[in-house]
Amino acid sequence: MSMAAHLAATEYFDFTHPDIQAFSRKVSGSTPVEQAISIYYLVRDEIVYNPYTLKDGLPSLKASYCLQNNQAYCIPKAALMVAMCRLHGIPARLGLADVINHLSTPALIEWLGTDYFALHGYAEVWLNGQWVKATPVFNKELCARFNVEPLSFDGQHEAILQSATKDGSKHMEYVKYHGYFDEMPVEFIQETAAKVYPHFADIFATDNRMAR
């Protein structure tokens, strides 16, 4: 299996960006597994999860966006983990799935116009001869607020979001997996936004791209 596409810097997995280069110096560990685990926790907890950053459109999909703003939603946080892994020579790619988050606030549901979260992002990392899913999305402070155990990652087992909270209430329901991507699937995201979030379609229009 050729890993070249899973190691490349791209427009959205932009690990040549100086902010990512600087952030990467925080990574610890001497093996790919140790480094991937370190990257996971850095991205999970040092970048605040904020779904409302979606309003920034295409620029918000870049890995570097997370560090320029110190906050992001699931896709760019996953993109940052992918970019950081690639920078350290660890093959990685983006995964997307549709989910229902049963802990969504009424305000967020009203803003989105639905409780159906299309294209939830996570990372897939090649470790010890297999692809392992990792979801560095919800920072530990946010998890504490919603009574959810922060999602851990050991580099061996899939780390996808829990189906229930600590008290057994429903949390995350995975509805549909869309597979993996070597680069950000911008056209797919644009098409999906137009269908699921029609009132947001314009913010992901290519001609609305802002230089950052």
Side-chain angles (χ1 to χ4, degrees):
M1 180 191 303
S2 173
M3 288 294 178
H6 307 310
L7 289 167
T10 69
E11 180 180 358
Y12 288 87
F13 305 143
D14 53 342
F15 63 70
T16 58
H17 193 284
D19 288 344
I20 297 180
Q21 295 280 320
F23 193 54
S24 74
R25 290 195 281 272
K26 295 184 178 184
V27 176
S28 62
S30 58
T31 68
V33 170
E34 291 171 346
Q35 291 171 345
I37 292 171
S38 176
I39 290 167
Y40 174 86
Y41 285 105
L42 285 168
V43 175
R44 190 195 75 178
D45 291 329
E46 296 206 14
I47 308 298
V48 174
Y49 174 73
N50 182 356
Y52 295 100
T53 56
L54 179 76
K55 63 180 173 53
D56 285 340
L58 289 180
S60 73
L61 295 171
K62 286 190 173 186
S64 57
Y65 174 93
C66 298
L67 296 168
Q68 292 176 301
N69 295 273
N70 296 314
Q71 58 182 350
Y73 53 102
C74 55
I75 296 178
K77 289 194 71 171
L80 180 57
M81 182 169 181
V82 169
M84 293 276 287
C85 284
R86 291 184 179 187
L87 176 58
H88 285 268
I90 304 168
R93 60 195 188 187
L94 178 72
L96 295 173
D98 294 350
V99 300
I100 296 175
N101 185 348
H102 294 279
L103 297 183
S104 298
T105 64
L108 179 58
I109 292 172
E110 181 179 3
W111 186 67
L112 291 175
T114 178
D115 65 352
Y116 190 90
F117 287 68
L119 305 186
H120 159 71
Y122 56 91
E124 288 193 353
V125 187
W126 182 259
L127 298 169
N128 292 328
Q130 65 177 342
W131 288 105
V132 185
K133 293 182 176 66
T135 313
V137 176
F138 297 145
N139 51 294
K140 59 185 178 182
E141 292 84 359
L142 181 68
C143 290
R145 192 184 316 161
F146 286 94
N147 195 34
V148 177
E149 189 71 29
L151 184 63
S152 60
F153 179 57
D154 64 6
Q156 301 179 50
H157 302 93
E158 288 191 348
I160 59 174
L161 295 171
Q162 304 96 319
S163 60
T165 64
K166 293 178 183 178
D167 63 9
S169 301
K170 286 184 178 181
H171 177 204
M172 191 67 68
E173 179 182 349
Y174 284 78
V175 179
K176 181 179 182 180
Y177 284 95
H178 294 284
Y180 60 85
F181 304 87
D182 297 328
E183 169 59 312
M184 190 65 62
V186 172
E187 290 185 5
F188 181 47
I189 291 171
Q190 290 171 320
E191 292 168 0
T192 302
K195 293 176 183 176
V196 182
Y197 312 115
H199 54 304
F200 290 150
D202 288 347
I203 69 171
F204 282 112
T206 302
D207 58 5
N208 266 358
R209 182 186 301 236
M210 299 177 291
R212 294 216 173 189

